[in-house]
Amino acid sequence: MMTNNHYRKGVALISVMIVITLISASVSLMWQHFGTDLKQTQYILNQTQALNHLYSMEAWVKSILAKDDATVDSLDEPWAMEIPPIQIPGGSLHGRIIDLQSRLNINNLIDLKTDIYSPQYRAFFYGCLNRLNTQLNQQNMADTIFSYVVSQSPKPKLFEHASTIKNIEAITVQDYLTIKPYLVALPELTAINVNTASNEILSCMHPQLSHSLVDQIIEQRKDQPFTTMEQFWTYTQTLLPHLTLAQIKDNFPVEFSNTFSHYFLLETEIIVDKNKLLGQSIMQRKDGKITIMNRSYHQAP
């Protein structure tokens, strides 16, 4: 039979074991919180480091664009060379600069300056967009996009992002994804750069320019970028000899086509300690100054 003394010793031992267990659990929980806090702190440090690298790349690109000859922009210039992966402490970074005026500015389609309450579409871009749709085996979008803009209340407004067109009910997600690489939304009327535009964009600018003829234009500009639209008009006429130079000029007016650009996109990928940051910075070059108009970034999975 257990004596009271033995009973008290048993209770004391159990109590000590319970206390030790509670202390161990508390210490374990404390270390878990510490580990979580440490990971969170490290994540914040990595994010800060990645953003500092992004800002540094932006500063570098701004200096490249500032030194560049602003009267001509072509794909053989330093800004157009893809930045190879560069090793940095704990990771790497690389990026590329894209001429946004090599794309169709979706806001060129609609003229809101003449009369905002009675907007008109610009025939040049209306036809160009629909010809691009045809190339991509899509339904024509110009009327759909124009109707969407003018139906907005209380007054029509231009697109802040080209991605907004995917919200238009009549445009499918697949159609948006197909045309996405060829579109941009810029805040003013912009000309397409004939030195940087793709085959799809150049061939949509003129109804008689086939892909094979545009290939000849692209081959020509590799060796000798067009420094003026006069050069481009003259060369294009050799491809379309049945048209006069005046007719060529009418189809490629300087309001909608040119040999230089004002808007560029810096795409970056920065890896720090296995964390990947993807950034996009839209830059405007105007009057010798480079301005960052928009910056966005997100953590890649």
Side-chain angles (χ1 to χ4, degrees):
M1 183 174 180
M2 182 180 292
T3 65
N4 287 340
N5 189 43
H6 287 156
Y7 176 77
R8 285 195 297 271
K9 287 183 178 179
V11 170
L13 180 61
I14 292 173
S15 298
V16 169
M17 292 177 65
I18 291 174
V19 170
I20 292 174
T21 300
L22 291 174
I23 292 174
S24 297
S26 297
V27 171
S28 176
L29 186 60
M30 181 184 70
W31 278 106
Q32 286 180 23
H33 283 307
F34 178 75
T36 301
D37 291 343
L38 186 62
K39 287 181 179 179
Q40 184 66 25
T41 301
Q42 187 61 50
Y43 173 80
I44 294 173
L45 289 174
N46 290 339
Q47 185 84 348
T48 302
Q49 185 180 353
L51 284 175
N52 286 335
H53 287 305
L54 173 60
Y55 302 147
S56 297
M57 288 190 72
E58 288 178 347
W60 178 77
V61 169
K62 287 171 73 173
S63 68
I64 291 290
L65 291 175
K67 294 175 183 176
D68 181 59
D69 179 3
T71 62
V72 178
D73 290 300
S74 62
L75 297 177
D76 64 345
E77 295 185 312
W79 66 263
M81 308 302 172
E82 187 164 343
I83 305 167
I86 300 171
Q87 296 304 308
I88 58 175
S92 64
L93 62 85
H94 77 275
R96 62 173 180 160
I97 305 170
I98 298 170
D99 179 7
L100 289 178
Q101 288 181 232
S102 67
R103 302 177 179 180
L104 284 186
N105 179 4
I106 197 68
N107 287 327
N108 283 358
L109 177 65
I110 304 121
D111 179 9
L112 294 182
K113 288 189 175 181
T114 304
D115 184 352
I116 193 170
Y117 293 103
S118 183
Q120 303 294 317
Y121 65 76
R122 295 186 175 98
F124 178 89
F125 274 88
Y126 182 93
C128 192
L129 177 58
N130 283 342
R131 283 191 290 272
L132 178 59
N133 292 143
T134 300
Q135 291 182 45
L136 300 176
N137 298 316
Q138 298 178 324
Q139 295 293 321
N140 290 349
M141 291 183 181
D143 281 326
T144 302
I145 294 173
F146 181 78
S147 298
Y148 172 80
V149 171
V150 299
S151 66
Q152 294 178 87
S153 180
K155 62 182 181 180
K157 62 180 180 178
L158 298 178
F159 294 95
E160 292 185 9
H161 303 282
S163 60
T164 304
I165 71 167
K166 69 182 178 183
N167 299 329
I168 301 175
E169 187 175 350
I171 297 177
T172 67
V173 174
Q174 185 55 53
D175 280 346
Y176 163 71
L177 293 175
T178 300
I179 202 171
K180 176 183 175 183
Y182 307 102
L183 298 183
V184 67
L186 297 174
E188 60 180 345
L189 181 66
T190 54
I192 295 170
N193 187 334
V194 297
N195 282 321
T196 60
S198 66
N199 188 303
E200 291 84 357
I201 297 298
L202 285 175
S203 57
C204 89
M205 294 174 71
H206 194 295
Q208 297 183 48
L209 272 181
S210 64
H211 287 290
S212 59
L213 290 178
V214 171
D215 281 339
Q216 295 182 54
I217 294 176
I218 292 174
E219 198 62 33
Q220 173 69 16
R221 76 187 189 190
K222 283 181 183 177
D223 299 326
Q224 187 177 356
F226 302 104
T227 58
T228 64
M229 282 306 295
E230 194 71 39
Q231 285 185 358
F232 178 79
W233 291 328
T234 301
Y235 181 77
T236 304
Q237 191 191 17
T238 66
L239 303 178
L240 300 170
H242 58 286
L243 298 179
T244 65
L245 190 59
Q247 289 173 320
I248 295 292
K249 290 182 178 181
D250 286 342
N251 281 282
F252 287 97
V254 291
E255 184 182 14
F256 300 122
S257 53
N258 224 313
T259 59
F260 56 85
S261 302
H262 296 303
Y263 292 92
F264 299 85
L265 171 66
L266 168 63
E267 290 187 337
T268 53
E269 178 183 287
I270 303 169
I271 300 175
V272 178
D273 194 24
K274 298 182 181 180
N275 294 307
K276 182 185 293 184
L277 185 79
L278 301 178
Q280 291 196 327
S281 308
I282 297 178
M283 300 183 178
Q284 180 188 32
R285 180 176 60 191
K286 186 176 183 180
D287 300 327
K289 296 180 180 179
I290 314 299
T291 305
I292 297 176
M293 298 183 56
N294 179 274
R295 177 192 296 117
S296 62
Y297 55 85
H298 68 275
Q299 200 75 25

